Each structure stands twice: as C-alpha cells, then as structure tokens.
Amino acid sequence: IVTDSSDPLSYDRRRHFLSPFPPLSINYSPRTATYFRRPLSPPSPLDNSTRSNMSLTLSQQQRLNRYPLATASAQPSLLQQVGMAGTAAVITVTFIHPIDVVKTRIQISKEYAAAGISGTAKMVVKADGVLALWGGVNAAWMREASYTSLRLGLYEPCKVLFGCTTPENTTFLKKFGAGSAAGALGSLAGNPFDVLKTRLMTAEGPNKPSLSTVAKELLAKQGIGGFYRGIDSNVARAMVLNGTKMSCYDTSKGLVVQYTGMGKGDLTTQFLSAVVAGFCMTCTVSPFDMVRTRLMNQPADAKIYNNAVDCFAKIIRQEGPATLWRGFMPIWMRFAPTTTIQLVIFEQLRGLMGMKSL
C-alpha cells in the first residue's frame, strides 16, 4: 500500500483495518525479563462505510459508480428484471381480469354503462356464465408477459439512462420520462395481444371464438396491420399510464418514508404508495383507455375511426367530453388492486434477487 507521510491514515492504521489479523508489537517485561507479543491498540475508530470502501479494489469501486442503483453483490441482468416483472404481472392479471372485462363492456355499450358495475357483472354472468368474466384471459396472460414485463422491468434501466443516479438529480420529470419510455417499448411488444384480448372480452353469446380463431380472422381480413390497430393511442396510453404509475409510486414512497419513518421495503409503505399511484393513473389514463378500447373494438370489416385524434374528436362531439371518463370507477377498481399486487410482488421478487426497493 502506497501512503503519503502527510496522510493522517498511516500505513499501520490501514494495515490494522485491512488485515484479517491485527498487527503485533514486541514488548519487554522487566518483571519476568521476557519478551512477549501483543496486538497493537486500534487507531481512532472509523465508520463501517469507510472501512468497507478501504477494502474495495479500484475495479469494484468503479463498478459501484457505474451501477449506483444496484445493491446486490452482482447486478441482475436485464432479462432477470424483465422476468421478475412478467411473473408479477401474470399472477396479478389472473385475479384482476374479471374487473377488466366489466370495465371494457361498460366502455363499448351504453346499455352496460347504464347498468353500472354490479349490473354489468350480473348481466355477463346471466348471459354467458361465471367463466365469461375470465373471457380472453389467455390473451391477457400473453399481453402481460410481453407488455407489463417490459414496462416494469425496464423502468430502472431507463432511470439510469435519464440520469437518475443520485437523490439530488432524480426529479419527478425524470422519473416520469423513464416510466413513459419503458411503457412505450412495452406497448409496441404487447399491442397484438391487447387487440386479441379486447375482442375476446367483448365477445357475447354461447359460441365464443377462441384465441386462434380471432387471430386468423383478423389476419385474413386486415393483415398484420390489424394486430397493430390502435397502436398510436395504445402507445400514448402506455406512456401516460406507466409514466404516472412509476413516478407517482416512486415519489409517494419517498414521502411515506420521510413522514412516517417506515422503510422502503415495508409492505405498508409499498401498499400506501401503490394506492396513490393507482388513483393518479386512473385520472390521467381514462381518456386514453376509452379511445384505445373504441379503436381496438372496431368491426374487422369496418373502420369507424381513422386514428386516435379522430376518435377523440368524434367521442367529444357526439357523446360529450365526460364520455372520456366513462368507466372511471371500474378502471380505478382495476388499477388499485392491480398496481398494489403487481408492485408488491415485483418488490418482493427484487428482494429475493438481492436488490433494494425502487
């Protein structure tokens, strides 16, 4: 170890803290006329972080600086982060899917809208049975495995790309931008399954089509482009949704920790932050969700709306601006538990992988 004579942390002090065995000194005892060895007295105390930093090699310190968000001994790969997010999403959607079915029916039909949440659920069960509430769940699994896995799993890497490396330079706008970027990438991957899911959820009658039947019909009548119908509104929705979700969750968690003293890894902290994020998401996403549903549910052989802007304009002109928030309660009822369960499971999986909370 090279030291400077002017450095207060002398060689002996470094040696004392870095060596697994304390240095010894040779001492003489006049009473017994013998020499004996004893450990040197420790130097002035240093905190654990200083001692830890002193024992790190240069390459290890450079790695920590390059990945400031990592807390595990080895930084999990991008595939692992996406896999954790996908697992959390698929588990969550299995329980939340009936609420999504009710929400979608209310958005596409004035009859269902007039019946309300419980009335719509009763009408669906009476007409097609209880399993109709899980109509299109297979497409929902595929959507979550592609779309949600990316928009959750890519959030932290996107934060690093947006410069969120320290608390001082991590702003709400940067968090929103990172969440929006991850949401847009996930939406591009999940749009085909989103189209199929919407069609299967709105199918009525005893002879419901299968996932493969809907996919073949769509491909035959509209080609590959049919699977990307509503892509513009879906990407816009995903950017607003994920930007709002992750930035509000991230910021709310910091406020909960600041004012309550609870840790970021506490389930109570995660629950409260997720509830706030779910409500904020509902307020910002409802109009985009309405437009997306209308665009994706157009008949295979007809085109009612040209694009998202045209759909926005026609809904406002023909049905009034309030229609954009039709289904607000079922959307919130879906977002609140979805966001909570999804983020809590994702956070727990991150803990198992040796990572700290978001």
Side-chain angles (χ1 to χ4, degrees):
I1 302 175
V2 179
T3 61
D4 186 355
S5 59
S6 63
D7 184 2
L9 195 61
S10 64
Y11 170 77
D12 286 336
R13 293 175 65 195
R14 287 176 180 266
R15 182 165 163 243
H16 177 86
F17 278 100
L18 296 179
S19 172
F21 305 101
L24 302 175
S25 65
I26 299 176
N27 298 269
Y28 176 74
S29 173
R31 187 174 62 84
T32 59
T34 59
Y35 287 91
F36 65 96
R37 294 181 178 182
R38 71 177 182 185
L40 286 172
S41 59
S44 57
L46 297 174
D47 58 30
N48 290 332
S49 62
T50 304
R51 183 170 180 176
S52 174
N53 290 336
M54 289 166 55
S55 63
L56 291 175
T57 64
L58 179 61
S59 62
Q60 288 174 324
Q61 292 184 36
Q62 289 175 338
R63 180 174 177 80
L64 285 176
N65 291 334
R66 189 176 305 133
Y67 301 108
L69 298 176
T71 56
S73 56
Q75 174 77 351
S77 67
L78 180 62
L79 184 61
Q80 287 176 313
Q81 296 196 57
V82 171
M84 288 187 289
T87 301
V90 170
I91 293 173
T92 302
V93 78
T94 304
F95 297 99
I96 304 301
H97 192 71
I99 302 176
D100 202 15
V101 171
V102 172
K103 181 265 299 181
T104 303
R105 294 287 182 97
I106 289 175
Q107 287 181 326
I108 65 169
S109 170
K110 292 183 179 180
E111 180 184 359
Y112 287 123
I117 299 171
S118 59
T120 299
K122 291 177 181 178
M123 290 170 66
V124 171
V125 172
K126 183 178 180 179
D128 303 313
V130 176
L131 292 180
L133 294 173
W134 276 270
V137 71
N138 47 357
W141 287 331
M142 297 170 72
R143 173 186 181 266
E144 296 302 312
S146 55
Y147 164 59
T148 305
S149 62
L150 291 177
R151 68 184 176 90
L152 276 183
L154 293 179
Y155 173 65
E156 192 170 31
C158 285
K159 277 181 70 177
V160 176
L161 292 177
F162 275 73
C164 299
T165 54
T166 63
E168 291 75 19
N169 60 19
T170 301
T171 63
F172 181 85
L173 288 178
K174 287 183 179 180
K175 294 176 185 177
F176 187 90
S180 296
L185 294 172
S187 181
L188 291 173
N191 200 84
F193 304 113
D194 220 353
V195 173
L196 295 175
K197 185 195 78 167
T198 302
R199 290 179 175 276
L200 289 170
M201 286 194 302
T202 56
E204 298 179 309
N207 299 320
K208 287 184 171 46
S210 64
L211 178 65
S212 59
T213 301
V214 173
K216 289 177 182 178
E217 179 186 0
L218 191 61
L219 182 63
K221 293 184 177 180
Q222 300 183 21
I224 296 296
F227 292 95
Y228 286 89
R229 171 177 283 186
I231 185 66
D232 50 353
S233 64
N234 209 20
V235 169
R237 173 187 180 274
M239 292 178 69
V240 173
L241 183 150
N242 211 52
T244 304
K245 174 181 181 177
M246 301 311 296
S247 59
C248 290
Y249 177 73
D250 212 338
T251 302
S252 299
K253 181 182 282 190
L255 293 174
V256 171
V257 171
Q258 178 182 348
Y259 289 105
T260 65
M262 294 187 292
K264 281 192 172 184
D266 291 351
L267 286 176
T268 305
T269 303
Q270 296 168 3
F271 174 79
L272 294 174
S273 305
V275 170
V276 173
F279 179 77
C280 295
M281 285 165 57
T282 309
C283 295
T284 58
V285 172
S286 290
F288 296 94
D289 196 68
M290 170 64 77
V291 171
R292 183 198 65 154
T293 302
R294 292 288 184 91
L295 287 171
M296 290 184 174
N297 198 52
Q298 292 184 91
D301 55 350
K303 195 172 185 180
I304 303 173
Y305 309 106
N306 296 321
N307 49 47
V309 176
D310 181 55
C311 186
F312 263 113
K314 287 183 177 177
I315 290 176
I316 293 173
R317 185 172 60 251
Q318 297 173 4
E319 304 176 53
T323 306
L324 293 173
W325 278 270
R326 180 191 292 172
F328 181 90
M329 287 306 297
I331 292 175
W332 189 20
M333 289 176 61
R334 175 180 177 269
F335 277 168
T338 299
T339 304
T340 303
I341 297 172
Q342 207 174 74
L343 288 172
V344 167
I345 294 176
F346 182 50
E347 294 270 36
Q348 297 305 308
L349 291 175
R350 284 172 61 89
L352 293 176
M353 296 296 295
M355 300 178 70
K356 68 175 183 179
S357 297
L358 289 173

